[in-house]
Amino acid sequence: MRLIAICFFVFTAITTMAQERLKKIEFYGAAKTNILHQGFDVDGDTMNVSKANYGHSLIDLGILVRPSANTEIATEFRLRNELGGFWGGAVTYGIRKLTLKGVVNDAIRYKIGDIDLEMTPYTLYNNNYQDVVNEATVFQMAREVIDYENYFSGNAWRQQGVQSSYGFYLNNETFKSIDVNLFSTRNRTADPSSASPERLFSGGQIGLNTSYGLITFHSANLFDLKNTVNDMNLYYNSVNTVSANISLADLPKFSLNYEGGTSKANYENLIEEETVTIQDYFWNLGLIYSPSNKLRLSVNGINTGPQFSSPAAQNVRLGYSSSSNVFPTIGNNLAVRNMGLIDYLYNDVFYYKTFDSQLDLYNPAFSNALPYGLATPNRKGFSVSLDELAIKEQLNLSSEIHLMSEIIGTGTTQLKSFMKFVAKANYDYKKWSANAGLAYESTSRDGQAYEMIELSSMLFDFGVDFDLTDQLSILFGTKYHMADGNELLAVYDSYNNPLYFDPISYNDQKQMLNSIGFMVNFSERSKLTASLSSFSQKAEQEYTFNQLQLLYRLNF
Amino acid sequence: MKNYFLILIIVISFLSCQRENSEFLGGSLNDQFGELVVLEPFKSNTANFNFSIVSPRFFEAQWSKNLNWSLSVRATQTGATKTFTGYSNKLDIDNASWDGSADDFPSFMKDDVCQATLTLSDSDTIIELTTTVNVSEIKNPQEGLKVVADFEDGLPVNSLPFVQSGAELTVTENSAAVGSNYLHLGGYVPYDYLLTSIKIPVQDMDIFSATSPLLLYFNMATIGGILGEVPANQFIKIIIREDDGSNLSNGEKYSMEINPVNWDTWQLFTLPYSDFVLESAPVNNLREPGKINQIEIMCLSCPAESAPDGPTCPENTDLIVKTDIDFIAFTQNESYKP
């Protein structure tokens, strides 16, 4: 009996200890299988293959370790196997994430390792996709894969470094509290062969919460670390801004928002002992009218200087100059195939995972008014936004229009004028849900024949979902893009000044992607999507794609 | 009221910033894509260029866009040329002034009639414009110039020529680098490296006593022959002697080779005296410009049949050596400007 009592006691103790250990270590993860079968069709093409079948399976195993109540270590291991990679022949593995975070004295929060950083559209901001306006669910499934693989989380940049935040109250009726958020990350590793020094990205925000609203100082600094290589050139860029959201006491339905600041870039040539300094400023002042929760209107005046330089905010997600390994050439002369909507969504084109000091190449057929987001240099004008209009909780509308022009002409004293219009609608009715979006842009410039620019482009997204059961949905989506006209695309020098201009023209270029499929929700964490897609491009290169995709995702 | 104060701060903050005004960003579209049209004709500011006096002598023209242009002035008699290049949309006193110098030997001569050709080209148009100018007077001698030999009056006084059998050393008229005459060195000597040489006395070098050998330039015009008709490996050796020895003939000797001499138009050979290497026994091992008293020019080539020492070059069989020279001179601070 005593032996039974001892055994019971030991068993209970072990069970309790095991439960304690379970809290200290947790496992999570995600598994995905993506299988694509594509057919490629070009009239008269006998030199290129017409079918491609590829895909992969992967598992990301996350381990969450809590060595103490205030410390957490998160790591994710990846194991990936290409379709057809039998017996481990095409297996790759690595660490996808490693982050240590915690709280010191219940006051100062910190993160070390992989961190997601975002501030304002002028300082630190990963601009949105340019081939999306309000995408159908069937495309969102594929888009989430791109997001996940490229660490796109909202408009944040995934960086590696250290971040700390803390706040304190001021015991004052007007100035209530201060929040401080600081970070320092490694933007680029040193490369002695090209004399590229180590580059860091550091900055932060200091927010003053007042009775009038929030006033925040933002700082983003990209700079080279001296003596990490045999230095020949050193780069330093600093962006400092102040933003404010101010409620108007006399006009309770109105509020003001503002962000303004300066940038300063130093290019130091240690060989020539010369330093080039480029500085400029921007401001964005808006008036918001919000009579209820269902309506919000805003008007903004915008002025972003031609030399304003903010590397962490002036970027394009998609590497437009990249190409896919799927059907890389076209025609019997084996010309490089121009990428289209289907490549951007499904194939292995390049997305920028980080930012650098150079302005990225952009595609004016997709975005010419604000290719680098709100921080696009050399723009002035105003925008009107209907941020949200809800009707009977079934229909949600939003819209915005930007009327802009250049501040200083590029290559001429004539100025370009831009118009960008965006409208989005989401509708839910019983088992039906639909979403639609339209983005239209036009660019024009008068002058001599060689100065004249007339370019218009349109992107249309539409999708319908029908829930057959709680677990099974039928999905339909379409994307349509057109561009017509001409543009002179600036080629920038190392100081981001236009050096010369490449003439490009679109002769009524059209591309369309249609997709139909079904989605099975096995559970909240397990989802299978099967879709059939067809894509056609009518441009300088004309071709069609047909595609079958099977995408299974499991979170655990 | 406090709200308006905040708004005022915001307004002041962005009104206080100012940008530098520039006409436009980047390279001009007109320069890249605009039509190339001549706006002002190509001409010289005067028909006769007198380079002996201080007066403006330049070419003028204007066209519709900035581009890389080239202006070539060529004397019809001597073949002397002067080239100007630049990137602009006009020619004026700042970029097309001419001081009477040539690109290389031969130099321009008095009464030369010159044709000037301006070439404008962009990606799809080439325009050539011409005008004519006369050289009424050549430029004044360069400051710090000491001419040792120009062969206009034959061999220099007290020079010591040495000519092997089959070799040639003759003062020749026509097509000289400067003036009318030059010294032809060459011939066919298949049994020795040295074909011919000449020792030329140098006097009055005291003017360079205080000149650093780094800043004293030896200059000489040289010309070979058409490759295939002359040995590819013919060369010239220059020996400069100083009078720092115990007697006039055993001073230090410094030498330099021009190897090979494989061009068929007059070219300036110029080098600081400091680049010459000591060839004799040292006296003080100092290059002393003020003590130079002799220059020896040797014409050499690998012999086709036999050599006292060294290899032979059968490929030079029947190839006549030609290493002509003209206008031997020293200059101070800079090379001679033909």
Side-chain angles (χ1 to χ4, degrees):
Chain A
M1 188 65 192
R2 210 169 92 183
L3 184 64
I4 292 171
I6 291 170
C7 287
F8 177 75
F9 176 76
V10 170
F11 175 75
T12 306
I14 289 172
T15 307
T16 306
M17 285 170 66
Q19 283 172 348
E20 282 295 313
R21 283 194 200 102
L22 202 63
K23 286 177 184 173
K24 289 192 172 183
I25 300 177
E26 282 184 27
F27 294 94
Y28 66 96
K32 183 184 77 178
T33 297
N34 191 8
I35 297 171
L36 284 155
H37 179 81
Q38 293 180 326
F40 179 52
D41 186 27
V42 181
D43 283 347
D45 187 346
T46 57
M47 296 294 288
N48 293 286
V49 296
S50 61
K51 292 279 187 287
N53 193 41
Y54 63 100
H56 63 265
S57 296
L58 62 84
I59 182 167
D60 291 330
L61 178 62
I63 304 173
L64 207 59
V65 182
R66 296 188 186 89
S68 70
N70 292 327
T71 312
E72 187 177 286
I73 302 167
T75 183
E76 288 176 12
F77 298 96
R78 162 160 289 192
L79 193 62
R80 173 176 169 140
N81 190 25
E82 300 303 318
L83 183 66
F86 296 108
W87 305 292
V91 172
T92 55
Y93 53 89
I95 293 180
R96 212 182 110 83
K97 178 185 176 184
L98 185 58
T99 307
L100 166 70
K101 64 179 180 180
V103 181
V104 178
N105 291 336
D106 288 332
I108 302 172
R109 292 177 294 281
Y110 68 89
K111 276 186 187 175
I112 300 170
D114 297 313
I115 49 179
D116 292 325
L117 296 173
E118 179 184 347
M119 291 201 293
T120 70
Y122 292 95
T123 50
L124 174 57
Y125 198 79
N126 189 348
N127 287 304
N128 293 320
Y129 296 101
Q130 295 177 344
D131 56 333
V132 176
V133 56
N134 190 16
E135 218 161 41
T137 309
V138 68
F139 298 135
Q140 285 175 24
M141 299 294 108
R143 188 70 61 184
E144 285 171 12
V145 173
I146 299 172
D147 285 342
Y148 185 76
E149 293 302 313
N150 293 283
Y151 307 98
F152 295 152
S153 172
N155 297 105
W157 281 110
R158 169 64 61 90
Q159 297 280 287
Q160 287 184 319
V162 58
Q163 181 186 22
S164 176
S165 58
Y166 54 94
F168 48 89
Y169 292 101
L170 297 173
N171 293 325
N172 183 300
E173 279 191 14
T174 305
F175 304 108
K176 295 176 179 175
S177 63
I178 290 178
D179 292 307
V180 180
N181 179 20
L182 303 172
F183 62 83
S184 184
T185 65
R186 187 187 199 190
N187 176 263
R188 184 181 73 182
T189 55
D191 179 12
S193 64
S194 61
S196 300
E198 187 98 358
R199 185 165 286 177
L200 301 183
F201 180 64
S202 301
Q205 297 167 295
I206 301 172
L208 177 63
N209 193 10
T210 72
S211 56
Y212 312 112
L214 183 64
I215 300 170
T216 311
F217 169 75
H218 314 265
S219 183
N221 305 280
L222 185 64
F223 58 96
D224 290 336
L225 207 56
K226 212 170 180 178
N227 298 329
T228 52
V229 294
N230 191 9
D231 292 316
M232 295 169 72
N233 295 286
L234 290 172
Y235 170 75
Y236 172 79
N237 190 89
S238 175
V239 183
N240 295 298
T241 77
V242 173
S243 69
N245 294 296
I246 300 164
S247 304
L248 301 177
D250 301 335
L251 301 165
K253 292 177 183 174
F254 290 89
S255 62
L256 286 173
N257 68 359
Y258 168 79
E259 183 170 4
T262 61
S263 74
K264 183 178 180 180
N266 274 352
Y267 299 86
E268 191 178 353
N269 185 329
L270 300 174
I271 307 297
E272 303 287 333
E273 295 185 348
E274 284 178 353
T275 300
V276 175
T277 300
I278 297 171
Q279 46 193 340
D280 211 326
Y281 67 89
F282 77 95
W283 55 261
N284 184 330
L285 178 63
L287 178 67
I288 300 167
Y289 172 63
S290 184
S292 71
N293 291 337
K294 293 181 179 178
L295 178 64
R296 183 181 148 96
L297 271 169
S298 59
V299 181
N300 282 68
I302 296 167
N303 187 310
T304 309
Q307 306 280 350
F308 178 70
S309 175
S310 181
Q314 292 169 331
N315 49 72
V316 178
R317 276 194 185 182
L318 177 60
Y320 281 107
S321 59
S322 71
S323 57
S324 170
N325 288 317
V326 182
F327 310 124
T329 55
I330 184 171
N332 292 332
N333 59 351
L334 300 178
V336 175
R337 183 173 65 83
N338 295 336
M339 302 297 104
L341 287 170
I342 194 166
D343 298 289
Y344 302 159
L345 198 53
Y346 295 102
N347 288 339
D348 53 343
V349 291
F350 174 75
Y351 282 90
Y352 290 98
K353 291 188 178 73
T354 187
F355 47 85
D356 57 28
S357 59
Q358 280 294 113
L359 286 171
D360 302 326
L361 178 72
Y362 67 92
N363 186 344
F366 279 92
S367 182
N368 205 36
L370 295 166
Y372 304 111
L374 276 177
T376 301
N378 199 20
R379 293 290 187 275
K380 66 178 179 184
F382 65 91
S383 64
V384 180
S385 304
L386 171 66
D387 295 333
E388 191 175 315
L389 174 61
I391 302 172
K392 291 184 178 178
E393 296 181 352
Q394 286 180 327
L395 180 62
N396 278 291
L397 301 172
S398 64
S399 178
E400 62 188 54
I401 185 165
H402 300 267
L403 298 169
M404 319 286 289
S405 75
E406 292 178 323
I407 295 171
I408 297 175
T410 45
T412 168
T413 52
Q414 300 283 341
L415 300 180
K416 288 182 196 173
S417 298
F418 307 93
M419 193 277 281
K420 180 180 183 179
F421 172 74
V422 178
K424 298 175 188 175
N426 292 298
Y427 180 70
D428 285 304
Y429 180 71
K430 295 184 178 176
K431 293 184 176 181
W432 292 87
S433 64
N435 52 335
L438 174 75
Y440 176 81
E441 286 198 17
S442 71
T443 306
S444 63
R445 182 170 66 190
D446 295 330
Q448 301 288 329
Y450 57 84
E451 296 171 311
M452 287 182 68
I453 288 172
E454 283 294 338
L455 174 66
S456 59
S457 65
M458 187 185 76
L459 177 66
F460 177 67
D461 266 322
F462 177 72
V464 177
D465 305 343
F466 178 70
D467 299 330
L468 287 172
T469 68
D470 288 345
Q471 291 181 316
L472 182 63
S473 304
I474 294 177
L475 313 173
F476 170 75
T478 187
K479 290 176 89 73
Y480 175 76
H481 178 262
M482 64 76 64
D484 188 33
N486 74 303
E487 172 59 298
L488 290 162
L489 196 59
V491 176
Y492 295 98
D493 63 12
S494 54
Y495 304 124
N496 287 326
N497 284 320
L499 197 60
Y500 61 91
F501 301 89
D502 267 344
I504 50 173
S505 63
Y506 307 98
N507 186 16
D508 204 14
Q509 173 182 300
K510 294 184 177 79
Q511 44 184 327
M512 189 167 196
L513 175 62
N514 293 308
S515 195
I516 188 164
F518 64 85
M519 181 168 65
V520 184
N521 289 302
F522 296 108
S523 69
E524 280 185 4
R525 295 181 168 186
S526 170
K527 200 178 285 183
L528 171 71
T529 311
S531 63
L532 279 169
S533 304
S534 72
F535 172 74
S536 66
Q537 174 166 291
K538 289 183 178 172
E540 187 184 349
Q541 296 176 343
E542 296 197 4
Y543 59 87
T544 59
F545 264 82
N546 290 304
Q547 176 184 277
L548 167 67
Q549 185 195 32
L550 286 174
L551 176 63
Y552 174 72
R553 291 189 300 152
L554 168 69
N555 295 316
F556 57 92
Chain B
M1 188 63 195
K2 287 175 181 174
N3 280 337
Y4 297 125
F5 179 68
L6 275 173
I7 294 166
L8 188 65
I9 289 174
I10 290 170
V11 170
I12 289 170
S13 73
F14 65 73
L15 288 179
S16 62
C17 299
Q18 278 195 332
R19 294 191 179 100
E20 288 178 18
N21 287 324
S22 59
E23 202 176 5
F24 54 78
L25 289 176
S28 163
L29 287 176
N30 177 52
D31 295 347
Q32 198 177 345
F33 302 109
E35 187 185 2
L36 175 56
V37 178
V38 176
L39 303 176
E40 298 281 341
F42 176 48
K43 61 184 181 184
S44 56
N45 72 315
T46 172
N48 296 301
F49 280 8
N50 181 347
F51 296 111
S52 65
I53 58 172
V54 178
S55 67
R57 297 165 298 262
F58 59 92
F59 294 93
E60 296 173 287
Q62 190 166 5
W63 51 95
S64 58
K65 60 198 290 189
N66 289 300
L67 47 71
N68 288 311
W69 52 263
S70 164
L71 166 60
S72 174
V73 184
R74 181 178 175 81
T76 51
Q77 298 98 315
T78 59
T81 59
K82 176 67 178 178
T83 307
F84 303 82
T85 56
Y87 179 83
S88 66
N89 64 349
K90 63 180 178 182
L91 291 185
D92 57 19
I93 194 168
D94 294 327
N95 58 11
S97 279
W98 186 22
D99 60 1
S101 64
D103 294 332
D104 207 325
F105 289 116
S107 299
F108 288 93
M109 290 178 63
K110 184 180 178 186
D111 298 329
D112 261 342
V113 176
C114 305
Q115 187 177 48
T117 305
L118 173 65
T119 305
L120 310 172
S121 62
D122 65 3
S123 56
D124 50 24
T125 309
I126 297 176
I127 295 177
E128 279 197 353
L129 306 165
T130 58
T131 189
T132 302
V133 293
N134 301 314
V135 178
S136 59
E137 282 294 338
I138 62 169
K139 66 187 176 74
N140 294 322
Q142 192 171 327
E143 197 173 336
L145 174 69
K146 162 77 179 168
V147 179
V148 175
D150 60 10
F151 308 105
E152 292 302 302
D153 301 320
L155 293 179
V157 177
N158 295 329
S159 58
L160 299 170
F162 169 78
V163 184
Q164 298 240 56
S165 173
E168 299 158 359
L169 186 150
T170 53
V171 174
T172 307
E173 199 172 354
N174 286 333
S175 304
V178 179
S180 304
N181 297 339
Y182 65 94
L183 183 63
H184 166 59
L185 302 173
Y188 185 62
V189 179
Y191 52 86
D192 199 353
Y193 270 80
L194 176 64
L195 286 92
T196 178
S197 71
I198 182 168
K199 291 177 180 174
I200 303 170
V202 182
Q203 295 171 339
D204 303 327
M205 289 295 282
D206 299 346
I207 55 172
F208 298 121
S209 294
T211 303
S212 162
L214 289 165
L215 298 175
L216 183 78
Y217 286 78
F218 172 83
N219 307 277
M220 184 172 71
T222 61
I223 185 172
I226 298 169
L227 277 184
E229 296 178 9
V230 298
N233 47 14
Q234 62 183 12
F235 63 103
I236 288 174
K237 185 170 184 178
I238 305 151
I239 299 172
I240 295 178
R241 194 182 70 184
E242 295 182 358
D243 64 356
D244 53 1
S246 55
N247 58 54
L248 276 177
S249 60
N250 69 352
E252 284 180 334
K253 291 178 181 176
Y254 294 92
S255 70
M256 178 59 64
E257 283 185 9
I258 310 172
N259 189 357
V261 178
N262 59 358
W263 49 87
D264 59 359
T265 56
W266 284 108
Q267 286 190 11
L268 171 67
F269 173 78
T270 181
L271 206 64
Y273 183 39
S274 56
D275 285 2
F276 282 65
V277 294
L278 181 67
E279 185 166 292
S280 63
V283 176
N284 57 11
N285 202 11
L286 292 174
R287 291 165 190 78
E288 297 165 290
K291 292 184 177 177
I292 293 172
N293 68 349
Q294 187 187 76
I295 294 173
E296 183 178 6
I297 309 295
M298 304 167 79
C299 167
L300 301 115
S301 178
C302 180
E305 294 171 8
S306 63
D309 48 6
T312 58
C313 300
E315 71 272 18
N316 289 343
T317 301
D318 296 333
L319 293 179
I320 308 297
V321 172
K322 182 187 177 201
T323 61
D324 299 346
I325 61 169
D326 196 1
F327 198 75
I328 302 168
F330 287 104
T331 51
Q332 199 172 3
N333 297 330
E334 60 178 352
S335 298
Y336 179 69
K337 305 289 182 230

